[in-house]
């Protein structure tokens, strides 16, 4: 794995002689140094390479992507530490190679990765990166929700992100650096606004209609047709055969279709999901007082961004879950300002690294 | 596996020469022939051997148990067909051996087994038994809920059983043989009154209180203490580490304790579970018109048994889920008559076989 750069004897460290390195100014405020941004999800890992710009003024929005690479899963909970580390090293090497760059040009790395719930997770993953890079390279490890937030705020950690795909999570930062999250605990622990949650409730409604516990619903025909089944009884075997969350969450479009056709059961499921998702954001906003300074009311009119990410919020259907969530949040917090990111989370991670670097350099110049 | 009896050339068949067999009358209405009743669950399989009594009048209640054996899982969905079949054959051989009996004395077998949701499941398992026994032996295969019903009604298939342990199911039979079930579809499909459902809602409440989405609750301290954890954040890792339903359902006593101490969140979880469980029974009662003959009202005062089985209903606590469920059912159906079985489900299965035999012999004598 160490054929990309010089070595200082430790075969895992891609060494660079920082002090003697030639940082050619490119005339646009960047030099030959680069930042790697990585979005490490459960299904895939994306790495982008962007140039290092030396000042806020010189950073173009969106930033130019020098190289981009995609690899498999880098969630250590899913594939184990060795495989996760190998995947990360591979995807970074490929992004660098596509950029016409190499390990020695790397100035900072930010990895947003799922499964980072504790400082110990963060520390462990930082240690892997530390083994790959020499000590002058700035390394940042965050929950993947933080990179998603940065993809909407262009690297600034302020406001709240709501992700609703197969799972869901809300994650926010106050200007003073305080952070808070809500949801994101998985289906056993009640992430009911997630794609999995919506689809599981729809499947439940079909079973309840079938066994006499609930009202008849269009969901029955819609879902049975989508799955190629002939009776609700067969849903039991279908769910037991493979209870993967993504397979169940894939039924969300059927639920939306039924709600668009005014089916009451499907509509109630979506309305409840909207309430759950909005509540996740509201809880974060209140804990961080993102809406303003009134500590007790916590319902000020202060403006703050709400970055909206994930298939459940981006479906762009007539029954628009994302729009309804924003409406619900704004009823309590009129200053909530929705943002649909124009760049992918890996770019968010790169911008986050750049933002951390700027903050540190400002702090250093003041100290 | 074929060292217990004679063989007719097929090494899997435990042969008996019925016509020439000597049925010694024992003076109590039984002869040397036996019935095997089997309760095949997901965690264990129980087989009991009872004597064959020749008439309704001579059957003592409860019946004498000649032998009893316990083995592992016989749910083919969990362990595969070969292992399930081997387990069944082993547990029957042991029960027969403990009875001082052998395969040749077996007159009928009734297996109540989890995972029987379709006629095809029933047919497949009947075929296994058919390979073990010669053709004159009467074989019956039922969902394990049916054996549980029979354990309360002493073999008569009439009324409704409600099982609420780790999972939950309601299953009923009308006098004319029509049957219906509700729930029993697993947690993905919304069995919220089950032990798993109750405990998952309690864990969700702890997470919601922690991240600001829900009210504070005693459940937090109670559950964290029970699990030896120090923060609700750690619940995420705890559930991901092993999402087995039984491990989560084991937290039900903590929820009951909090409800007994008047915690509102815990109380609401139990009240909702009571409603869900009662609804499962009501749906079956209505579909089968167990309460009487009025097809349209379906709320007659006719008496019918409701057999109550499983840890959630039998906990015998101050906050008594089972009693509350019955109260809720009786509000709509005053004729619902609760029964707590005095015998185990395997004995229910044996009584069911005996009941089937009596019915068939009556039908034959009338034809």
């Amino acid at each position: 794995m160490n054929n990309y750069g010089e070595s200082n004897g430790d075969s895992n460290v891609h060494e660079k002689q920082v002090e003697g390195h030639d940082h050619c100014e490119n005339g646009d405020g960047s030099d030959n140094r680069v930042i790697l941004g990585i979005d490490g999800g459960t299904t895939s890992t994306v790495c982008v390479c962007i140039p290092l710009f030396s000042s806020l003024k010189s950073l173009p929005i969106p930033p130019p992507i020098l190289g981009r690479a995609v690899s498999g899963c880098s969630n250590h909970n899913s594939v184990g530490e060795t495989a996760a580390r190998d995947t990360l090293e591979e995807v970074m090497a490929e992004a660098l190679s596509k950029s016409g760059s190499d390990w020695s040009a790397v100035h900072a790395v930010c990895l947003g990765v799922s499964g980072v719930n504790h400082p110990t997770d963060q520390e462990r993953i930082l240690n892997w990166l530390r083994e790959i890079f020499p000590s002058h390279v700035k390394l940042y490890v965050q929950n993947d929700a933080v990179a998603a937030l940065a993809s909407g705020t262009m690297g600034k950690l302020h406001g709240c992100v709501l992700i609703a795909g197969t799972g869901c999570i809300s994650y926010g930062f106050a200007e003073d650096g305080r952070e808070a999250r809500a949801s994101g605990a998985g289906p056993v622990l009640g992430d009911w606004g997630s794609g999995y949650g919506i689809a599981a409730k729809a499947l439940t409604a079909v079973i309840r209609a079938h066994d006499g516990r609930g009202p008849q619903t269009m969901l029955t025909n819609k879902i049975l047709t989508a799955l190629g089944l002939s009776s609700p009884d067969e849903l039991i075997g279908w769910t037991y055969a493979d209870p993967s969350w993504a397979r169940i969450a894939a039924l969300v479009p059927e639920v939306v279709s039924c709600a668009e056709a005014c089916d009451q059961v499907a509509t109630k499921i979506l309305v409840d999901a909207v309430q759950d998702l909005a509540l996740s954001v509201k809880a974060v906003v209140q804990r961080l007082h993102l809406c303003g300074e009134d500590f007790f009311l916590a319902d000020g009119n202060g403006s703050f961004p709400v970055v909206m990410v994930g298939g459940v919020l981006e479906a762009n259907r007539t029954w628009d879950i994302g729009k309804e969530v924003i409406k619900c949040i704004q009823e309590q917090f009129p200053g909530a300002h929705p943002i649909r990111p124009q760049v992918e989370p890996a770019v968010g991670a790169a911008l986050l690294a750049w933002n951390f670097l700027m903050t540190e350099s400002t702090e250093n110049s003041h100290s």
Side-chain angles (χ1 to χ4, degrees), chain A:
Chain A
M1 295 300 293
N2 192 33
N3 48 355
Y4 330 98
E6 297 168 81
S7 167
N8 63 352
D10 175 347
S11 66
N12 282 318
V13 174
H14 304 289
E15 173 76 354
K16 179 171 82 77
Q17 296 302 320
V18 189
E19 308 309 333
H21 192 83
D22 177 24
H23 301 319
C24 313
E25 277 283 343
N26 293 333
D28 62 356
S30 74
D31 57 37
N32 291 336
R33 290 178 297 172
V34 297
I35 292 174
L36 296 177
I38 308 163
D39 174 36
T42 307
T43 49
S44 68
T45 302
V46 177
C47 178
V48 296
C49 180
I50 68 168
L52 174 66
F53 290 86
S54 52
S55 75
L56 190 59
K57 272 183 287 187
S58 57
L59 178 75
I61 295 294
I65 308 299
L66 303 176
R68 180 179 186 274
V70 182
S71 189
C73 174
S74 57
N75 183 327
H76 61 108
N77 290 326
S78 308
V79 295
E81 294 217 0
T82 309
R85 212 199 100 128
D86 286 353
T87 298
L88 284 178
E89 195 158 352
E90 267 169 45
V91 80
M92 289 189 288
E94 194 185 334
L96 284 169
S97 159
K98 286 181 172 173
S99 310
S101 189
D102 64 27
W103 295 95
S104 70
V106 178
H107 186 70
V109 179
C110 180
L111 168 61
V113 66
S114 63
V116 172
N117 298 311
H118 283 91
T120 50
D121 299 323
Q122 212 164 8
E123 198 53 47
R124 186 165 59 241
I125 296 169
L126 268 175
N127 286 339
W128 306 347
L129 294 177
R130 187 53 67 213
E131 285 174 22
I132 298 175
F133 292 97
S135 59
H136 71 274
V137 178
K138 299 286 186 180
L139 303 174
Y140 311 98
V141 172
Q142 298 284 345
N143 187 290
D144 56 346
V146 182
L149 173 62
S151 74
T153 59
M154 289 299 154
K156 194 179 172 202
L157 284 187
H158 173 241
C160 188
V161 65
L162 176 64
I163 308 179
T166 297
C168 67
I169 188 171
S170 155
Y171 211 116
F173 283 84
E175 300 269 12
D176 61 9
R178 283 176 301 121
E179 57 189 280
R181 62 180 269 182
S183 305
V188 176
L189 301 174
D191 286 350
W192 290 115
S194 65
Y196 175 90
I198 290 168
K201 280 190 172 177
L203 290 168
T204 298
V206 173
I207 295 287
R208 290 172 73 92
H210 178 64
D211 70 20
R213 285 180 295 153
Q216 294 304 309
T217 162
M218 285 180 196
L219 288 165
T220 302
N221 274 335
K222 197 81 184 169
I223 288 179
L224 292 181
T225 304
L227 300 180
L229 303 177
S230 55
S231 156
D233 283 329
E234 296 173 34
L235 284 176
I236 304 176
W238 184 82
T239 55
Y240 277 91
D242 173 3
S244 87
W245 303 347
R247 177 167 167 266
I248 287 166
L251 293 169
V252 170
E254 318 305 330
V255 188
V256 175
S257 293
C258 291
E260 284 171 349
C262 298
D263 179 76
Q264 290 192 357
V265 174
T267 303
K268 173 147 183 17
I269 290 170
L270 294 191
V271 167
D272 288 349
V274 165
Q275 295 291 329
D276 269 6
L277 291 169
L279 183 59
S280 296
V281 173
K282 290 178 191 175
V284 167
V285 172
Q286 270 174 321
R287 278 160 64 200
L288 298 176
H289 307 286
L290 292 180
C291 53
E293 289 306 307
D294 189 327
F295 206 87
F296 296 102
L297 287 175
D299 57 357
N301 293 327
S303 177
F304 58 92
V306 178
V307 178
M308 310 278 283
V309 177
V312 168
L313 304 176
E314 293 161 6
N316 206 15
R317 299 279 298 256
T318 308
W319 213 114
D320 190 321
I321 300 173
K323 269 190 196 156
E324 296 298 320
V325 169
I326 282 296
K327 207 189 289 177
C328 187
I329 296 168
Q330 287 176 336
E331 280 169 14
Q332 187 172 351
F333 302 113
H337 168 58
I339 296 178
R340 310 271 178 174
Q342 302 303 309
V343 298
E344 64 178 334
V347 178
L351 290 169
L352 198 52
W354 183 83
N355 208 53
F356 285 141
L357 290 172
M358 288 301 108
T359 309
E360 287 168 20
S361 107
T362 310
E363 282 168 1
N364 290 342
S365 69
H366 289 317
S367 63

